[in-house]
Amino acid sequence: MAVSSDNTFVATPDKVSGGLLFRELDAEGTLPTDATTALTAFVEGGYISEDGVTKTVDASDDNIIAWGGDTVRTVRTEHNLSYTFTFIESSNVNVLKLIYGDENVTVDASGNISVKESSKLQSRKSFVIETFDGDKKLREVIPNAQLAVSGDITYVHSDVVRYECTLTAFPDPADPNFKAYTYRSSGKPAVVVGG
């Protein structure tokens, strides 16, 4: 394949979902295995700050050294896959339930929201990150991840309230060899061979 600027991708979030969707681990329907299949049972997450989502792969490898100093083997001793982002919709009930837990967020008939905060981590969920570049699409599927919020939450007249979040990916229950899947669509119509 020749070098081409068409092979670049600028990740713009989906304008409906905000770019991040989630669902319960035991939700009905299979997880997507491509970039274009409609998502089932997923909840929209809301706006993320302009910094977008940062994916971090943190791996530690050790070299096994033989007598005489030669490296004879490399072993992986640690592997962590995480995603960091900042929610900026602090009055979005979906966001609040994801952060604090369904049972800790209530909304009354007038739309007033109450949140109970504890030190408890919320249950693991499945997540999807949806991004577009024109007609091209990139979808990251994280089957088993846990969200944690850390950092300062600032109430100030010159900015919106922000929640700094980290998603830690765990092995996929369906195939523990993998923690996440990335799917890309070209945005081009399918080529029919023959006929």
Side-chain angles (χ1 to χ4, degrees):
M1 178 181 283
V3 174
S4 170
S5 62
D6 286 341
N7 293 328
T8 63
F9 190 88
V10 177
T12 303
D14 175 46
K15 296 297 184 186
V16 175
S17 69
L20 182 85
L21 302 99
F22 59 93
R23 74 177 201 182
E24 298 300 325
L25 285 180
D26 59 357
E28 291 292 321
T30 57
L31 290 171
T33 56
D34 60 35
T36 57
T37 300
L39 300 176
T40 56
F42 278 87
V43 176
E44 297 161 358
Y47 274 128
I48 289 173
S49 75
E50 66 182 338
D51 294 330
V53 177
T54 299
K55 178 179 179 178
T56 302
V57 179
D58 186 13
S60 295
D61 300 326
D62 287 342
N63 290 329
I64 308 299
I65 310 298
W67 188 12
D70 290 333
T71 298
V72 294
R73 189 89 188 255
T74 300
V75 294
R76 175 143 293 167
T77 57
E78 184 179 347
H79 181 270
N80 184 52
L81 175 61
S82 63
Y83 303 79
T84 55
F85 54 90
T86 301
F87 278 127
I88 59 174
E89 282 193 60
S90 60
S91 295
N92 182 321
V93 174
N94 291 343
V95 169
L96 294 173
K97 286 184 175 183
L98 178 62
I99 292 170
Y100 296 107
D102 287 356
E103 68 282 4
N104 296 322
V105 178
T106 56
V107 184
D108 69 16
S110 298
N112 299 310
I113 302 169
S114 297
V115 176
K116 294 186 285 188
E117 188 169 346
S118 74
S119 60
K120 179 184 168 189
L121 280 171
Q122 301 311 313
S123 62
R124 296 181 186 182
K125 298 187 184 320
S126 298
F127 292 84
V128 169
I129 299 167
E130 295 269 77
T131 58
F132 296 87
D133 186 356
D135 292 332
K136 296 185 286 186
K137 183 175 181 182
L138 185 149
R139 174 182 280 171
E140 185 107 0
V141 178
I142 311 142
N144 180 13
Q146 191 163 39
L147 182 129
V149 177
S150 61
D152 297 332
I153 298 171
T154 305
Y155 305 107
V156 62
H157 75 276
S158 58
D159 198 2
V160 298
V161 175
R162 298 168 181 264
Y163 296 105
E164 296 176 22
C165 300
T166 300
L167 269 184
T168 301
F170 298 98
D172 180 356
D175 188 342
N177 292 305
F178 303 101
K179 295 180 180 177
Y181 306 89
T182 304
Y183 305 108
R184 300 170 189 265
S185 71
S186 67
K188 299 174 184 173
V191 176
V192 178
V193 179

